[in-house]
Amino acid sequence: MTISIQIDGMHCGGCVRSVEKAAQSVDGVSNLSVNLESGELRADIDRPELVDTLKGVIEDCGFDVTGVTA
């Protein structure tokens, strides 16, 4: 399942790296990419419940999740 998560508050490459590192730590996430310009994380996930897990790790980094598309 491919998902897209809209993220508010990323302003630089360091922000992107923080989100990437946090999201990559979640088991069951693959093909991860984070785009600074669009403020979007795209990834393949093994299980639907990983959406909430990803939202949590992104928010733990200090960013706001403004939308999710599956």
Side-chain angles (χ1 to χ4, degrees):
M1 162 186 234
T2 300
I3 61 163
S4 172
I5 298 177
Q6 289 301 124
I7 304 167
D8 190 35
M10 293 191 302
H11 302 290
C12 65
C15 297
V16 169
R17 285 187 293 279
S18 293
V19 170
E20 285 175 337
K21 183 177 179 182
Q24 287 170 344
S25 72
V26 177
D27 247 2
V29 175
S30 59
N31 299 322
L32 175 76
S33 67
V34 179
N35 185 299
L36 178 61
E37 252 182 56
S38 64
E40 179 183 55
L41 176 148
R42 292 185 58 83
D44 293 333
I45 57 173
D46 290 347
R47 303 174 307 281
E49 60 269 16
L50 290 179
V51 171
D52 289 333
T53 304
L54 282 171
K55 287 170 58 177
V57 298
I58 292 166
E59 290 169 347
D60 287 348
C61 289
F63 304 103
D64 295 320
V65 172
T66 58
V68 177
T69 306

